[in-house]
Amino acid sequence: MAIEKRAFRMAEIATGSREDALDLVQDAMLGLVKSYGDRDSADWPPLFYRILQSRIRDWYRRNRVRNRFRVWLGGLRGDDDDERSDALQNLPDNQPGIERQLAGEDAVEQLQVALQELPLRQQQAFLLRAWEGMDVSATAFAMGCSEGSVKTHYSRAVHRLREQLEDHWP
Amino acid sequence: MSQDDKPFVDQVRQTLDRHADALDEMTAARLAAARRHALDSRPRRTHWLPVAALSAIAASVLTVALLLNQDVSLPGDDPEALELVAQSEDLELIEELDFYDWLDTTQASS
């Protein structure tokens, strides 16, 4: 599978926006070629993910400020936040029953929501380790943090995902 | 990853793979185009070392060729210059005039 597809899905999970995810992946590709175009292409994946994760963190910071401002404005207007309090609980449940095997889009949707609810660093550590198959060292490089932090983030992410999905996944 | 977590993580990976594979054609095309655009903007690598080495070799060859073909003929066409060259003995006489003066005095006194 092409790396850009996985990268796009990672960015989409992180941002919740298709257009923003496309922009981030495109920007990371250009940044990779601009800064490391003379490197051997075998060195590119960890460098690409390092740039992409950095762009995603920047996007997060910008949007956190924007969201705080919106919440503040919403408070002034008297908006109700209950609608977005628990996205996982609000998913449509077409096939009730704790024993059921979720398949296809339903499983994807449950997983996507659970991943989106993780703190960004846990989400990044989990996706790079579990999906991209990076080892702890490469993940630490891509995330720009220590290997100890990667282990902590990853472990917490797995624990939290299992906790969230255990009722839905076998 | 602990062995307890492995089946769960494997399931997550498979689900995410399916999700990425199911990307719509439009988005996949846009991603592929972005990749091509990025690769096209890749700066061409200039191999400066061979260029510098070739330049140095060319400069050396040129220098040697110029030295070998240098015109070392006497200035026969210029009478004044020829006279100057011919008068080199006179120049020596002038430079050692004291010696000849002493020699003359010595011979006269003996």
Side-chain angles (χ1 to χ4, degrees):
Chain A
M1 184 194 302
I3 192 171
E4 66 262 25
K5 284 188 178 179
R6 287 196 301 274
F8 169 75
R9 287 301 193 196
M10 281 185 196
E12 190 185 37
I13 288 167
T15 61
S17 160
R18 176 168 292 248
E19 285 305 314
D20 285 348
L22 265 170
D23 286 347
L24 287 171
V25 172
Q26 188 168 359
D27 196 32
M29 284 176 179
L30 286 169
L32 173 76
V33 168
K34 186 181 169 191
S35 302
Y36 303 105
D38 57 343
R39 294 272 192 102
D40 194 277
S41 57
D43 297 337
W44 283 8
L47 292 166
F48 170 69
Y49 276 115
R50 187 182 172 96
I51 296 170
L52 179 64
Q53 299 303 334
S54 169
R55 298 283 194 277
I56 289 173
R57 284 198 299 278
D58 291 344
W59 181 94
Y60 238 72
R61 283 189 205 107
R62 281 197 308 272
N63 278 269
R64 198 163 48 192
V65 174
R66 199 177 300 163
N67 288 339
R68 277 180 190 162
F69 189 65
R70 277 186 194 150
V71 167
W72 181 72
L73 276 179
L76 286 180
R77 290 175 189 155
D79 289 356
D80 190 359
D81 277 346
D82 286 348
E83 281 178 22
R84 49 178 183 270
S85 59
D86 189 346
L88 190 62
Q89 293 300 318
N90 291 334
L91 279 174
D93 193 0
N94 299 327
Q95 298 170 287
I98 203 160
E99 299 292 328
R100 72 193 162 93
Q101 298 267 322
L102 286 173
E105 289 179 10
D106 201 12
V108 168
E109 203 169 355
Q110 302 272 5
L111 175 60
Q112 195 164 351
V113 171
L115 284 168
Q116 281 172 338
E117 290 194 339
L118 289 177
L120 180 64
R121 301 299 270 169
Q122 288 183 27
Q123 187 190 99
Q124 290 179 325
F126 181 80
L127 289 174
L128 291 172
R129 293 271 290 119
W131 194 17
E132 195 55 38
M134 288 183 170
D135 60 21
V136 174
S137 167
T139 307
F141 175 77
M143 290 177 62
C145 66
S146 70
E147 293 186 11
S149 295
V150 169
K151 288 177 186 170
T152 306
H153 289 314
Y154 178 76
S155 169
R156 287 180 182 165
V158 171
H159 180 75
R160 202 156 163 179
L161 286 172
R162 291 191 73 163
E163 211 173 58
Q164 294 226 28
L165 295 168
E166 66 184 356
D167 288 346
H168 308 281
W169 284 36
Chain B
M1 180 197 320
S2 76
Q3 286 306 305
D4 274 358
D5 295 329
K6 195 173 179 311
F8 173 75
V9 171
D10 285 345
Q11 192 179 358
V12 169
R13 187 183 302 119
Q14 286 164 13
T15 306
L16 288 170
D17 279 343
R18 277 204 310 273
H19 186 42
D21 272 336
L23 202 61
D24 64 282
E25 284 182 15
M26 174 80 83
T27 308
R30 285 176 70 181
L31 283 169
R35 183 182 181 142
R36 277 196 304 276
H37 173 66
L39 287 173
D40 287 346
S41 68
R42 188 179 178 181
R44 299 281 175 256
R45 190 190 297 189
T46 306
H47 299 281
W48 289 109
L49 194 63
V51 170
L54 283 173
S55 303
I57 290 168
S60 303
V61 168
L62 190 65
T63 307
V64 169
L66 284 172
L67 284 173
L68 288 176
N69 290 326
Q70 196 173 25
D71 188 6
V72 292
S73 60
L74 287 171
D77 295 340
D78 186 350
E80 287 185 12
L82 187 61
E83 193 177 347
L84 272 175
V85 173
Q87 284 178 347
S88 60
E89 286 184 10
D90 291 340
L91 284 172
E92 284 175 12
L93 178 67
I94 291 165
E95 284 170 359
E96 298 178 5
L97 201 58
D98 289 342
F99 169 76
Y100 289 111
D101 188 37
W102 170 80
L103 189 65
D104 190 40
T105 310
T106 307
Q107 283 177 346
S109 62
S110 62

